[in-house]
Amino acid sequence: MATEVPPQRNGRGTDPGPGASSTGAGPAPERFVEVQRGEEFGELRRTYRSFAFPLTIAFIAWYLLYVLLSNYAGGFMAIRLFGHINVALVLGLGQFATTFLIAWLYSRHAARRLDPRAEAIKARMEGDA
């Protein structure tokens, strides 16, 4: 059973037409493409990627190291460090710690470097509308 969605209307009860938003207040789709191709947006994307990609690769490598050690270095992972705490448990808890550390670092990075640039782009686009 297909559900048909009625076309969005602007305040005057008519279709907004091509290139206009449903409220009539937003930028045209062509403007989004123009901004996306611009230098400022490219810099925002580079700033994001320069943080996200290296940390993602580092975390995947760290995770794979843990998995490989668990599978192929059982003797090493079984070494008791103190009491009933062994290397495997410490490294496993380290996985959780690094997950939270990366999330915290990213939120800090985004607040300092990404959000101000994104807000500037958004404000400029909304001002052009």
Side-chain angles (χ1 to χ4, degrees):
M1 176 175 159
T3 304
E4 291 193 31
V5 178
Q8 298 225 346
R9 308 264 181 202
N10 63 17
R12 296 180 301 272
T14 60
D15 287 337
S21 71
S22 61
T23 62
E30 296 81 23
R31 179 70 175 123
F32 284 100
V33 173
E34 178 185 327
V35 169
Q36 184 180 11
R37 291 181 180 154
E39 181 59 35
E40 189 178 21
F41 190 82
E43 183 60 34
L44 175 64
R45 191 170 33 232
R46 279 188 292 282
T47 302
Y48 167 76
R49 288 178 179 169
S50 69
F51 181 87
F53 287 176
L55 255 71
T56 300
I57 291 167
F59 184 79
I60 289 171
W62 159 228
Y63 176 75
L64 289 176
L65 174 67
Y66 176 73
V67 170
L68 290 172
L69 287 173
S70 295
N71 283 316
Y72 301 110
F76 171 71
M77 296 294 268
I79 294 173
R80 288 185 180 223
L81 300 175
F82 48 92
H84 293 290
I85 308 299
N86 62 14
V87 172
L89 182 61
V90 170
L91 292 180
L93 292 174
Q95 292 287 316
F96 287 101
T98 54
T99 299
F100 290 111
L101 177 65
I102 289 170
W104 176 74
L105 288 172
Y106 177 76
S107 68
R108 215 175 92 183
H109 173 75
R112 289 183 179 175
R113 301 231 168 93
L114 302 176
D115 293 346
R117 292 176 183 182
E119 284 297 321
I121 292 170
K122 178 183 172 191
R124 199 165 10 272
M125 286 188 72
E126 287 175 347
D128 290 348

